[in-house]
């Protein structure tokens, strides 16, 4: 599920790309550590993207317009603690519930990416749970909910995009997920709305989900790349002391491996 690669401090973007491509086929999450903390993250990892595939210009800016018009046309966006920017998980210190990033974007690339510029001492890990563990938890703890989730399409909408997909489907026997509680189309019918709440409550309270959740607490210079629709991710809350106390650069990448 999760592979931590410790690269030499002087590793090049090429070395980093080779390590990613080697780990990618057999893992859902690749954690990249060991690099110099003070490097220019966007320059280094941006060069790495071009060697493993390419980044998509899907960045959003929470300070621009409303939630339906925040696309900037850039690759990189900030996940940065800033209490001056309200109503955005990317700028809060709250725990973020499990989700996929591509929930409302048709043709979303296959990987999410976060690189760390700053991390507070307390809390702030990014959390991951494999699709197969979500399936196992639903089957054993909430079999009726599991059946409904397979049967009902859930429309998600935001930033002018809309995607209709079930929470869970199988592709070549592998679970594929599509989910963000906060992006479910508000116009969807009552069945969808009740399923939305039931799934949120389940993910929030399931003992098996809590037990199988894995944490990656990034240090400055480190990064994590994950197969967006093969797992769910979120983050632990944290205790900020100053603005930008936690600062990650986020991108969306199509990995060709
Ligand atoms: O803050 C994190 O570690 C995760 C952020 C995230 O999942 C997101 O911005 O979509
Ligand atoms: Fe996310």
């Amino acid at each position: 599920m999760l592979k931590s690669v410790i690269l030499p401090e002087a590793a090049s973007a090429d070395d980093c790309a080779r390590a990613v491509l080697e780990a990618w086929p057999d893992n859902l999450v690749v954690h990249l550590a060991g690099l110099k903390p003070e490097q220019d993250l966007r320059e280094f990892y941006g060069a790495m993207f071009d060697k493993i595939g390419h980044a998509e210009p899907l960045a959003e800016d929470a300070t621009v317009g409303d939630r339906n018009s925040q696309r900037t046309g850039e690759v990189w966006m900030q996940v940065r603690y800033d209490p001056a920017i309200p109503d955005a998980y990317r700028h809060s210190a709250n725990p973020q519930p499990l989700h996929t990033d591509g929930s409302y974007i048709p043709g979303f690339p296959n990987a999410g990416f976060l690189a760390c510029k700053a991390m507070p001492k307390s809390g702030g890990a990014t959390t991951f749970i494999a699709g197969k563990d979500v399936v196992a938890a639903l089957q054993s703890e909430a079999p009726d909910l599991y059946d409904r989730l397979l049967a009902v399409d859930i429309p998600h909408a935001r930033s002018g995009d809309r995607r209709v997909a079930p929470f869970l489907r199988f592709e070549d026997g592998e679970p594929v997920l599509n989910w963000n509680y906060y992006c479910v189309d508000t116009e969807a019918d009552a069945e969808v709305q009740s399923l939305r709440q039931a799934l949120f409550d389940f993910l929030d309270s399931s003992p098996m989900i809590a037990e199988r959740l894995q944490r990656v607490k990034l240090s400055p210079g480190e990064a994590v790349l994950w197969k967006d629709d093969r797992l769910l991710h979120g983050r632990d809350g944290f205790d900020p002391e100053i603005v930008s106390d936690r600062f990650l650069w986020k991108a969306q990448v199509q990995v060709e491996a």
Side-chain angles (χ1 to χ4, degrees):
M1 149 80 171
L2 188 155
K3 167 125 181 177
S4 277
V5 180
I6 317 287
L7 292 154
E9 206 177 73
S12 65
D14 247 330
D15 300 331
C16 186
R18 262 194 300 279
V20 168
L21 290 175
E22 192 187 319
W24 194 247
D26 299 325
N27 292 283
L28 296 181
V29 182
V30 180
H31 170 205
L32 298 165
L35 300 163
K36 281 198 286 293
E38 66 279 7
Q39 69 194 318
D40 184 319
L41 297 168
R42 287 175 291 170
E43 191 183 320
F44 182 87
Y45 289 113
M48 194 271 287
F49 294 158
D50 292 336
K51 298 170 196 300
I52 62 171
H54 66 273
E56 294 277 354
L58 289 168
E60 293 168 8
D61 184 338
T63 65
V64 178
D66 65 15
R67 274 164 59 97
N68 288 322
S69 58
Q70 295 180 340
R71 280 283 156 68
T72 62
E74 314 256 317
V75 163
W76 292 101
M77 66 182 119
Q78 299 183 353
V79 177
R80 181 179 63 82
Y81 174 68
D82 188 343
I85 306 173
D87 304 327
Y89 272 107
R90 283 204 299 281
H91 301 293
S92 86
N94 298 332
Q96 185 170 9
L98 292 167
H99 64 280
T100 59
D101 283 346
S103 67
Y104 54 92
I105 306 176
F108 194 76
N110 60 11
F113 182 87
L114 290 169
C116 178
K117 194 169 155 66
M119 184 61 63
K121 278 192 228 41
S122 164
T126 305
T127 57
F128 298 95
I129 182 159
K132 70 171 175 42
D133 290 329
V134 175
V135 169
L138 281 163
Q139 284 177 333
S140 84
E141 296 173 355
D144 293 345
L145 177 59
Y146 178 71
D147 291 341
R148 282 165 67 207
L149 288 167
L150 283 169
V152 178
D153 280 339
I154 304 182
H156 288 70
R158 186 170 168 181
S159 298
D161 285 317
R162 190 164 194 274
R163 183 181 213 176
V164 182
F167 166 70
L168 171 66
R169 64 182 205 277
F170 288 87
E171 234 177 72
D172 302 324
E174 297 286 320
V176 178
L177 301 158
N178 198 71
W179 169 246
N180 188 325
Y181 176 77
Y182 295 103
C183 300
V184 173
D185 190 345
T186 50
E187 314 267 283
D189 65 21
E191 185 187 22
V192 167
Q193 302 303 342
S194 97
L195 197 54
R196 166 183 184 260
Q197 196 56 49
L199 177 56
F200 181 85
D201 295 342
F202 175 80
L203 293 171
D204 192 43
S205 63
S206 154
M208 212 186 269
I209 296 281
E211 183 193 313
R212 299 195 183 184
L213 198 70
Q214 303 210 32
R215 294 189 152 74
V216 176
K217 180 163 178 172
L218 296 170
S219 294
E222 295 184 0
V224 66
L225 182 75
W226 67 91
K227 290 178 179 160
D228 186 59
D229 67 3
R230 305 300 157 124
L231 46 66
L232 297 175
H233 71 277
R235 69 143 187 265
D236 289 341
F238 54 97
D239 298 323
E241 286 168 13
I242 50 167
V243 171
S244 303
D245 216 5
R246 185 176 188 274
F247 190 157
L248 308 178
W249 281 110
K250 172 176 163 174
Q252 334 274 9
V253 185
Q254 181 66 28
V255 180
E256 315 285 359

